[in-house]
Amino acid sequence: MAVAISEYESWSESQIEDKLQEVLDSIQKVLLDSESDHEMRLYCVGFAAERIVQLVPVYEAEDSLYFPLLSGVKEFLEQVFAWALSEEPEERIMLLSIARALLDHTNTLLQYSAKYDGLGPGVIPSIPRVIPKIIQAVFNFCHNELPETKSDVAKESMSLMYTRGKNLLETLLSLVENMSVHPHLEDEIAILVELMDDLTNFHEALYAIDLKACMSVWNFYTKLATDFAQHLRFSLRVENALLILQRAAIEKFQNLIARNSSNQPSKKLNKMIVAISFLVKTIHTLANLYKNSLKAEFDTFIEFLSIFYNKEDNLKKFGDKSICEKLERDLFAANPPELFLLSVPDHCKLATALTSIQPNCDTVLSIVLTATYLLEVDSLEDEEKVKLVGTVLENLWMVEGNNLCQDNLESVQVEGSSVQLIAIYEWILTRICRVISILSPEDFQALETTLFQRYSSTENMFTRQMVSDIFCFIARYGSSSLCYSLLMTVCQVYLQSMDNTPNGAVTEVLIRRLFNFLDGEEKLTWIEEFVLDKPDNIVLWSCIEIDEMNTSLLTKIENALEKVYNEAFERDDYIHTLTCLIDCHTGVLVNQHSKTQLTNRMCLEIWQRLAENLYSPPHNYQTSQFLRALCDVTCSLLTSSQLATEDLSQVINWITCVINAEKSTEGNHGFSSGLMINMLKVIPTQSWIGNVENVDPCLVTQIGTLSSVCLRSAVKDPILKTPGLEYLRNLAQASNNSGLVRLCSDENDIMDHFTIFLKEEEDSTSNCREEKLTINHDAPPLFSILLHDDSEFETAAAVGSSCRVSSQQQLHDLDLKRKLSPGKSMMKTKRSKSGISCADEVDTVVTLLAKMEQHVTKLETLETGNLSDDQRTALRSLGGRLLKLIQNNGED
């Protein structure tokens, strides 16, 4: 055979042409014989590419030359690479030189093919079918072996081979671009689809070793996909391309963040941003051409969307302002995630997949927002949308922190109103409500089941509040009977759970809101259903508000509430019962104005018992709710002018005693101070505050004492400082009495804070500025300020109303019961005037002595030389008056 091949070299073109088939058969045998000598096989390829190709007519080229020759080259090249892996470095360099020569000959063959007139994929199909696989073998070998190569000579040899492969790729792309494609022929479309599949396979190797070449391949892929979109729509496997591009974008973005953390030069980061933007643009282009092609592996798609949905968090990772601006301009602003949601996935399959994708901290926002977005897709059935609502509510607790970020989601467009930026809570809520409004009765029933399941199974207040708002939307815009049915269900569930935790407060508010949506007849029906004669129903009555009622119903309610009050201490949950009872008075009886004195009497009795027993409230949720309810009813009585000035003086005096008793214990007293400040805010609204000179001096003194005690804590607490100083400002404006203001702020540091507050308030009025919240996601729950430690709350939240209470809390509860119980200290419903005067006098003397001691201490810090003659005379006069007072009170 070798002698025959050598003879062909000396033949003229006419001789070769006469025996062309014989020559081709001989070359094919050499190429396909794995035992043939390397040099002989290489020689055959070169001889065919340089001499024989010119003699073969185009209509015979495929079968007689291109297919056998290119198949032989592919097989020979794969064998060379396999041998190179097992040889020593010197032998490997020799083998790689053979591979380079093979690629050069193949490139020569390909370049000559461009001379054929009317060349198309179906004319010589081996070109678009076999050559991409030859190139793929080269790229894969370079990708796998280049990182492992240590020798500079070997690296140079491999680099040269990659260059040959890249040249062959460029020749192929140029040739295919100029081919005459007949898209109406099925075989040519099939060849084109196979070629495009091979192009996507180049990505893994090229993406790692030559990003520019990789982008060129994707540009060519996109061009073919665009030019023949109409004919490729049902045969091109564009889903695979989309997944490859998404994975590449995710990986590149993660690398960008990692390199930014390692302080890489801005130039490298800019190149990476360009690459990411290119990948994203290609995804967008292909998705618009072949809409909704992604039908699997939606976890990759969700992770891809997370790049855009987590934009704010991602931008914070880059300290360089120019990098942030480039990301915003080239990536985020140009590619809102809704573009990909609209065009990339198959919506029905994505909706099904979302119910099973396990979220993490990076992808949960994408899952929630994607599921919410799909609610407005018309192609989905209502049944699927109900399931999506369940998915949203199931994962909602994980995105609560995002609701505190800057509003960046567009509101629903309403005719006549402009689109506004809103927070995630409102964005989700409005879209769920829009879907509910068009559900069929059958699907609405399934939705109700989903809502109640999520509401009862979660301990997260954010999720519960969302479901509550959805219930209220249904009640407000549904039928009256539907509203009543919802309220009855919620009430029954609440009675069964008796959830006396912060989560239960959401249900209490929900009951109040639903009750307000009822009409008059249905409210009466509810009242008859949950009569107050049953003690457990008090928890429901504590949630509602009734503005007007007839006399007979009012009398019936009064009697029932008085009975509950008298029997409250016989119950194990007496603290909760008292709290509900007080709330019931606030919502039901106080609104009846002067029709009843029962609330007034109960409020006075409880405050007096707490004060006379020097009760110090412990820091737990139940007791804090009790104090909150007591302060609420006091405010309501004061606001509605049902609390006489004489009674108000007593109440403030008793409250001061309770606060002072609490101050003597260790712990955080911010909650109690906050309640008192909230109650004190009613004082400036009273009609008599403008003529404080005509008010009982004892009342003025007691207001000043309580205000001073609360403000001392408020100015040290960032949460209470502003409300406390706002109260002091309102009081100063309403009373216009500097003496009262000084009495309320008798501590110098309070007045200093007040002065600064007024100045800042004036500045903020003239120059408003937006402050960005900094959120500490690791902080304990807000209501943990009521507890001594987090573990107490965690236990209470975990087991609801049947929580295990610590022995310390039990002691506090028993102490409260002992001090409030009528059996221990029978309450006088009305004290005599002399008794009141005596008690007030003792308290006033104590207060005055304390203040006198403070002022004397301040005077002692002054140097004697700073006192004038008149001041010294005044001090002697005061001393004489005090001595006389002591002498006059020396004997009873």
Side-chain angles (χ1 to χ4, degrees):
M1 184 71 67
V3 175
I5 293 296
S6 300
E7 290 179 356
Y8 298 153
E9 179 68 24
S10 60
W11 288 7
S12 64
E13 290 186 5
S14 59
Q15 288 178 305
I16 297 175
E17 190 173 1
D18 291 339
K19 295 188 178 182
L20 181 61
Q21 190 58 49
E22 178 185 337
V23 175
L24 290 174
D25 291 341
S26 301
I27 292 175
Q28 186 175 1
K29 289 179 181 180
V30 173
L31 288 176
L32 297 180
D33 184 5
S34 59
E35 301 297 327
S36 298
D37 181 70
H38 296 345
E39 294 182 0
M40 183 57 63
R41 296 172 76 179
L42 183 60
Y43 174 80
C44 289
V45 173
F47 182 74
E50 294 175 4
R51 295 193 62 183
I52 297 180
V53 68
Q54 303 176 29
L55 305 176
V56 179
V58 65
Y59 55 86
E60 295 180 0
E62 169 65 13
D63 294 332
S64 59
L65 177 63
Y66 278 83
F67 178 73
L69 182 64
L70 293 178
S71 299
V73 169
K74 174 179 173 296
E75 184 177 343
F76 186 22
L77 194 64
E78 290 174 349
Q79 291 175 356
V80 168
F81 288 150
W83 293 329
L85 293 176
S86 59
E87 296 294 338
E88 295 298 324
E90 293 78 7
E91 293 293 330
R92 179 178 296 189
I93 293 174
M94 184 273 293
L95 290 170
L96 293 183
S97 66
I98 295 175
R100 292 198 302 271
L102 281 173
L103 295 174
D104 286 338
H105 293 321
T106 306
N107 201 356
T108 301
L109 179 68
L110 206 56
Q111 289 173 356
Y112 185 84
S113 304
K115 298 179 181 181
Y116 290 130
D117 293 332
L119 180 65
V123 176
I124 307 180
S126 295
I127 293 177
R129 278 180 166 163
V130 182
I131 289 184
K133 295 174 176 58
I134 294 173
I135 298 172
Q136 181 70 43
V138 175
F139 289 164
N140 285 345
F141 183 83
C142 293
H143 174 235
N144 296 330
E145 296 304 315
L146 191 58
E148 305 297 328
T149 304
K150 306 300 182 182
S151 169
D152 293 339
V153 177
K155 284 184 178 181
E156 182 180 359
S157 177
M158 194 169 296
S159 177
L160 291 173
M161 186 183 67
Y162 169 73
T163 302
R164 300 298 199 282
K166 183 179 176 181
N167 293 339
L168 181 61
L169 172 63
E170 292 171 352
T171 304
L172 172 66
L173 297 184
S174 176
L175 181 63
V176 173
E177 185 177 8
N178 295 311
M179 280 184 175
S180 299
V181 181
H182 304 87
H184 58 280
L185 298 178
E186 292 184 2
D187 58 338
E188 292 204 358
I189 290 298
I191 293 171
L192 207 57
V193 168
E194 184 178 350
L195 169 64
M196 296 177 71
D197 286 343
D198 288 334
L199 292 178
T200 61
N201 293 333
F202 292 165
H203 175 85
E204 182 179 0
L206 283 181
Y207 188 71
I209 58 180
D210 191 344
L211 185 59
K212 186 176 181 180
C214 182
M215 294 167 67
S216 298
V217 172
W218 279 114
N219 276 331
F220 186 74
Y221 181 96
T222 304
K223 184 180 185 306
L224 291 178
T226 304
D227 293 344
F228 304 101
Q230 183 177 355
H231 302 88
L232 293 173
R233 189 172 308 280
F234 301 107
S235 54
L236 182 63
R237 289 178 282 273
V238 72
E239 178 183 20
N240 184 48
L242 291 172
L243 285 171
I244 291 173
L245 289 165
Q246 289 175 55
R247 294 191 191 103
I250 295 168
E251 180 186 353
K252 203 69 174 179
F253 194 81
Q254 292 172 346
N255 291 339
L256 176 67
I257 294 175
R259 293 203 174 188
N260 175 72
S261 302
S262 59
N263 298 320
Q264 291 283 336
S266 298
K267 187 175 181 180
K268 290 186 177 180
L269 298 181
N270 283 323
K271 288 183 177 180
M272 296 180 74
I273 295 174
V274 170
I276 297 170
S277 301
F278 170 81
L279 294 169
V280 171
K281 181 180 178 181
T282 304
I283 293 172
H284 186 210
T285 302
L286 292 176
N288 277 338
L289 291 169
Y290 303 85
K291 289 187 179 295
N292 312 118
S293 299
L294 189 65
K295 302 181 184 301
E297 297 190 44
F298 292 108
D299 50 348
T300 300
F301 179 62
I302 291 297
E303 191 174 358
F304 171 73
L305 289 180
S306 298
I307 297 176
F308 304 94
Y309 278 130
N310 296 330
K311 180 184 75 171
E312 299 298 329
D313 291 337
N314 288 330
L315 288 177
K316 291 177 183 177
K317 299 173 183 177
F318 298 91
D320 190 332
K321 185 178 180 180
S322 63
I323 296 297
C324 291
E325 291 176 350
K326 187 172 182 62
L327 279 170
E328 176 65 33
R329 181 180 63 254
D330 296 350
L331 185 63
F332 295 123
N335 300 287
E338 291 78 12
L339 292 179
F340 305 104
L341 276 170
L342 178 66
S343 57
V344 173
D346 181 301
H347 292 145
C348 294
K349 293 184 181 299
L350 175 59
T352 303
L354 284 175
T355 60
S356 59
I357 295 177
Q358 293 299 318
N360 56 49
C361 59
D362 294 325
T363 61
V364 65
L365 182 61
S366 294
I367 292 174
V368 171
L369 294 182
T370 299
T372 307
Y373 173 87
L374 291 177
L375 294 176
E376 299 186 300
V377 174
D378 295 335
S379 60
L380 293 182
E381 298 291 337
D382 287 346
E383 182 180 357
E384 293 175 304
K385 293 182 179 181
V386 171
K387 294 178 180 179
L388 286 173
V389 171
T391 300
V392 172
L393 296 177
E394 182 181 5
N395 298 294
L396 189 64
W397 66 275
M398 296 181 69
V399 301
E400 182 175 0
N402 298 91
N403 191 56
L404 304 176
C405 299
Q406 184 178 2
D407 297 346
N408 56 3
L409 296 171
E410 291 187 352
S411 64
V412 173
Q413 187 168 7
V414 180
E415 185 176 357
S417 301
S418 59
V419 174
Q420 299 177 346
L421 294 180
I422 57 177
I424 185 174
Y425 184 92
E426 183 179 350
W427 191 86
I428 294 173
L429 177 62
T430 51
R431 279 154 179 80
I432 291 178
C433 292
R434 291 180 73 182
V435 171
I436 292 175
S437 64
I438 60 173
L439 288 179
S440 65
E442 295 78 11
D443 292 316
F444 179 77
Q445 186 175 4
L447 176 74
E448 275 190 307
T449 303
T450 298
L451 292 175
F452 276 108
Q453 285 177 344
R454 297 304 176 195
Y455 189 83
S456 59
S457 64
T458 182
E459 293 292 337
N460 179 255
M461 295 182 69
F462 188 68
T463 305
R464 281 198 168 194
Q465 187 60 54
M466 174 71 75
V467 179
S468 295
D469 287 340
I470 296 172
F471 280 144
C472 290
F473 170 81
I474 295 172
R476 175 66 179 82
Y477 292 97
S479 64
S480 182
S481 59
L482 177 59
C483 176
Y484 182 77
S485 174
L486 276 175
L487 177 59
M488 291 296 292
T489 305
V490 172
C491 290
Q492 295 291 353
V493 170
Y494 188 54
L495 285 177
Q496 293 176 9
S497 64
M498 286 296 184
D499 188 4
N500 185 27
T501 66
N503 284 328
V506 180
T507 307
E508 295 167 5
V509 174
L510 175 60
I511 292 173
R512 180 181 303 116
R513 295 169 70 187
L514 292 176
F515 185 82
N516 290 337
F517 289 137
L518 298 178
D519 59 25
E521 293 183 1
E522 287 169 336
K523 286 182 179 179
L524 291 176
T525 305
W526 185 92
I527 291 172
E528 293 173 359
E529 179 69 25
F530 298 102
V531 293
L532 270 172
D533 294 340
K534 297 180 181 180
D536 288 343
N537 289 345
I538 188 68
V539 299
L540 299 179
W541 280 78
S542 67
C543 303
I544 66 171
E545 295 178 355
I546 302 179
D547 293 332
E548 294 292 339
M549 65 179 71
N550 58 53
T551 305
S552 61
L553 179 59
L554 176 62
T555 302
K556 184 177 179 180
I557 292 175
E558 280 185 328
N559 294 335
L561 291 178
E562 189 165 15
K563 180 181 178 182
V564 172
Y565 180 53
N566 294 332
E567 298 175 354
F569 297 98
E570 299 176 6
R571 297 173 59 92
D572 294 334
D573 59 344
Y574 61 92
I575 297 179
H576 187 215
T577 302
L578 278 177
T579 303
C580 294
L581 176 68
I582 297 171
D583 281 336
C584 189
H585 276 270
T586 304
V588 179
L589 295 188
V590 173
N591 289 334
Q592 311 310 312
H593 302 296
S594 59
K595 294 181 181 180
T596 176
Q597 292 297 318
L598 178 62
T599 305
N600 197 319
R601 176 166 57 85
M602 180 198 68
C603 178
L604 294 175
E605 286 181 2
I606 293 178
W607 277 122
Q608 183 181 3
R609 287 174 183 162
L610 292 176
E612 290 182 345
N613 290 281
L614 298 178
Y615 176 67
S616 175
H619 293 189
N620 63 64
Y621 180 73
Q622 283 195 0
T623 309
S624 299
Q625 282 293 90
F626 167 73
L627 282 180
R628 187 271 312 156
L630 191 55
C631 290
D632 284 350
V633 75
T634 307
C635 287
S636 298
L637 289 171
L638 189 57
T639 303
S640 60
S641 302
Q642 296 186 48
L643 202 60
T645 305
E646 180 182 329
D647 293 335
L648 176 61
S649 178
Q650 295 182 71
V651 168
I652 293 179
N653 185 33
W654 293 330
I655 291 174
T656 304
C657 293
V658 174
I659 289 295
N660 285 331
E662 185 191 29
K663 299 289 184 183
S664 64
T665 62
E666 296 181 358
N668 182 2
H669 310 301
F671 181 77
S672 300
S673 297
L675 288 177
M676 301 311 161
I677 289 175
N678 189 55
M679 187 167 57
L680 285 169
K681 285 182 178 180
V682 183
I683 299 296
T685 66
Q686 299 299 296
S687 58
W688 48 263
I689 199 67
N691 299 311
V692 72
E693 296 83 0
N694 300 326
V695 178
D696 183 2
C698 291
L699 174 59
V700 176
T701 302
Q702 288 160 355
I703 291 174
T705 302
L706 179 59
S707 300
S708 175
V709 171
C710 294
L711 288 174
R712 292 174 200 170
S713 299
V715 295
K716 301 174 184 178
D717 191 311
I719 297 177
L720 302 179
K721 183 176 181 179
T722 299
L725 296 176
E726 285 178 348
Y727 154 70
L728 191 58
R729 178 204 59 197
N730 295 339
L731 184 67
Q733 292 174 347
S735 67
N736 199 23
N737 187 300
S738 58
L740 177 59
V741 175
R742 286 196 301 271
L743 189 61
C744 294
S745 57
D746 64 343
E747 297 257 330
N748 289 332
D749 57 345
I750 295 178
M751 187 56 70
D752 293 340
H753 284 290
F754 187 50
T755 304
I756 296 173
F757 169 75
L758 292 177
K759 185 177 184 306
E760 290 179 347
E761 191 176 54
E762 181 179 354
D763 294 341
S764 64
T765 303
S766 59
N767 183 24
C768 296
R769 61 183 184 276
E770 182 179 353
E771 296 183 2
K772 188 174 181 180
L773 292 175
T774 301
I775 303 164
N776 180 10
H777 297 282
D778 297 326
L782 185 60
F783 37 78
S784 65
I785 63 173
L786 310 181
L787 311 173
H788 284 301
D789 52 57
D790 293 340
S791 60
E792 185 178 4
F793 165 71
E794 290 170 357
T795 303
V799 298
S801 61
S802 59
C803 62
R804 299 190 303 273
V805 185
S806 65
S807 58
Q808 184 68 25
Q809 182 175 333
Q810 290 178 355
L811 292 175
H812 281 301
D813 292 348
L814 291 174
D815 184 46
L816 176 60
K817 184 174 184 178
R818 176 179 61 80
K819 293 177 178 179
L820 286 178
S821 175
K824 176 65 180 177
S825 173
M826 288 302 293
M827 180 64 197
K828 297 186 293 292
T829 57
K830 187 73 173 179
R831 292 187 293 167
S832 64
K833 290 186 178 180
S834 59
I836 294 174
S837 301
C838 180
D840 291 343
E841 180 182 356
V842 172
D843 289 338
T844 303
V845 170
V846 172
T847 304
L848 291 176
L849 286 175
K851 292 182 177 181
M852 184 183 300
E853 183 178 0
Q854 294 177 1
H855 291 308
V856 170
T857 302
K858 294 177 181 178
L859 286 172
E860 288 175 345
T861 61
L862 300 176
E863 297 181 5
T864 308
N866 292 336
L867 297 176
S868 65
D869 292 339
D870 292 340
Q871 290 172 337
R872 284 193 290 271
T873 301
L875 282 175
R876 293 191 191 97
S877 176
L878 285 174
R881 291 170 63 186
L882 291 173
L883 288 173
K884 186 176 179 180
L885 182 62
I886 295 173
Q887 292 171 357
N888 291 340
N889 288 274
E891 297 179 359
D892 291 337

